[in-house]
Amino acid sequence: MIETAKSNGLEPYWYLKYLFQHLPEAMTNDDFQALLPYNVKKEKISESVPC
């Protein structure tokens, strides 16, 4: 997951933080697919980062 996040231009720490925040809410296959690194946009991760 970390290497895939890196190859998709995501910072691994922030991606994993985003993943662990949203994983409990995932119920369907589509929900889980949306959390894979190649489906997560940088903008989504930056929205979940507190300023």
Side-chain angles (χ1 to χ4, degrees), residues 26 28-40:
T28 66
N29 190 36
D30 288 339
D31 293 341
F32 290 110
Q33 289 289 324
L35 293 174
L36 293 174
Y38 48 82
N39 290 328
V40 175

Side-chain angles (χ1 to χ4, degrees), residues 14-25 48-50:
W14 295 114
Y15 167 69
L16 289 174
K17 183 173 175 146
Y18 175 84
L19 177 66
F20 294 138
Q21 286 175 342
H22 292 87
L23 197 56
E25 302 164 1
S48 69
V49 176

Side-chain angles (χ1 to χ4, degrees), residues 4-17:
T4 305
K6 286 181 188 177
S7 68
N8 283 281
L10 303 174
E11 175 63 40
Y13 173 82
W14 295 114
Y15 167 69
L16 289 174
K17 183 173 175 146

